[in-house]
């Protein structure tokens, strides 16, 4: 499979993921140690992906799949 087809499929899949879920979450940890006392704060961060970015990724992926490439 050519690299451009793999990239196109990943763009379409990522765009669909962005439209369905609207973003993703990841854990973030902060640590502090002051003398014998240690603090560890864990939070959940959320990143929102705009709708236009998801649609743009799908369009770009479909264009990579259907537009013929020039042969060298």
């Amino acid at each position: 499979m050519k690299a451009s087809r793999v990239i196109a499929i990943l763009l379409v899949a990522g765009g669909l993921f962005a439209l369905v879920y609207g973003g993703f979450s990841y854990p973030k940890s902060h640590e502090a140690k002051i003398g014998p006392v240690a603090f560890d704060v864990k939070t959940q961060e959320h990143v929102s992906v705009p709708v236009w970015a998801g649609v743009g990724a799908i369009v770009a992926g479909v264009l990579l799949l259907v537009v013929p490439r020039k042969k060298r």
Side-chain angles (χ1 to χ4, degrees):
M1 193 179 282
K2 294 182 182 179
S4 62
R5 282 185 74 92
V6 172
I7 292 170
I9 292 169
L10 289 175
L11 279 170
V12 171
L16 288 173
F17 179 82
L19 289 179
V20 170
Y21 291 105
F24 58 93
S25 297
Y26 63 94
K28 192 172 186 181
S29 179
H30 299 283
E31 297 177 7
K33 189 171 185 181
I34 303 170
V37 179
F39 296 100
D40 186 24
V41 178
K42 294 181 180 169
T43 59
Q44 193 76 6
E45 296 287 327
H46 183 75
V47 177
S48 296
V49 178
V51 173
W52 62 265
V55 171
I58 293 170
V59 169
V62 169
L63 285 176
L64 277 175
L65 284 174
V66 298
V67 174
R69 309 248 325 157
K70 283 196 252 181
K71 296 195 179 200
R72 294 182 180 193

